[in-house]
Amino acid sequence: MLIVACLALLAGCGYKTVADASYPEQKVYIAVAVQGGVYNIATRPSHPSNTPTQGSTFQYLIEGEEFIVPLAVYRSGIGNSGEVHVSVSFDDSILDELLSSGELSGVTPLPEDSRSVEGTVVVPDGCEGAPFFIRVPLSAVRDVADGTRFACGVRIASEDREVNEKYGKIAVVIDHGIFEE
């Protein structure tokens, strides 16, 4: 009886062709931009032994005399196919926009000679994202007047994929308070 019921169910199952669907194209974005237009680095790690590890996020790293802000470019959409080249650059007009709108206040632009970033990030075929780093001499952000908040604007562009305009730029704010005891 059970065999007959199973055969009856299988006989009723027919193959249907499913029409092709259009999926959204991949877009690239800066990961922290989804949290808002300002990435504020204002607190120290909870314990000095907290170091970045797989799955453990961190806002900054100090290596020798260098202050390093880790960021990442990600792709959205269905699938991770194709290598994607993304250019990364500083764009302080982002600060001007945020200052004008009132979303940001009380910041000093980080001097151009006190910052660097990789010019191009490559998201490999099959991968979701790739990291990039803002590098600043530690003395440029540590050895300044208390209460100073430095900022720089970062923007991405790509000829390989469309940039999600809402998340393709970010203001990074480094608050001197992280160095205070």
Side-chain angles (χ1 to χ4, degrees):
M1 177 89 141
L2 182 61
I3 295 174
V4 173
C6 288
L7 288 174
L9 281 174
L10 288 176
C13 295
Y15 174 79
K16 293 183 181 180
T17 303
V18 177
D20 288 337
S22 61
Y23 295 104
E25 293 294 319
Q26 289 182 4
K27 290 186 179 183
V28 292
Y29 63 97
I30 301 172
V32 297
V34 300
Q35 299 171 1
V38 178
Y39 184 55
N40 194 21
I41 301 170
T43 59
R44 282 198 231 181
S46 58
H47 189 273
S49 67
N50 286 357
T51 57
T53 58
Q54 184 69 27
S56 173
T57 59
F58 62 103
Q59 287 190 299
Y60 66 90
L61 179 65
I62 296 175
E63 287 184 351
E65 288 300 311
E66 198 168 45
F67 186 88
I68 303 167
V69 179
L71 298 170
V73 172
Y74 277 82
R75 66 168 108 201
S76 64
I78 303 296
N80 294 329
S81 62
E83 187 174 86
V84 180
H85 296 81
V86 180
S87 64
V88 180
S89 61
F90 290 114
D91 181 353
D92 288 340
S93 71
I94 295 166
L95 302 180
D96 297 335
E97 292 170 21
L98 292 169
L99 289 164
S100 297
S101 71
E103 295 175 62
L104 184 63
S105 64
V107 297
T108 302
L110 192 59
E112 289 183 27
D113 62 349
S114 294
R115 61 189 182 183
S116 66
V117 68
E118 294 94 43
T120 302
V121 176
V122 178
V123 180
D125 181 40
C127 292
E128 211 176 307
F132 67 94
F133 303 91
I134 295 174
R135 298 177 182 277
V136 178
L138 183 57
S139 61
V141 290
R142 180 190 59 203
D143 303 339
V144 295
D146 289 350
T148 303
R149 295 175 66 222
F150 285 110
C152 61
V154 178
R155 181 179 303 274
I156 61 170
S158 177
E159 292 185 14
D160 297 334
R161 300 290 188 278
E162 183 180 346
V163 172
N164 181 323
E165 283 305 314
K166 184 173 180 181
Y167 304 124
K169 61 185 178 182
I170 190 81
V172 176
V173 178
I174 303 168
D175 193 317
H176 182 266
I178 63 176
F179 301 106
E180 297 170 1
E181 293 294 323

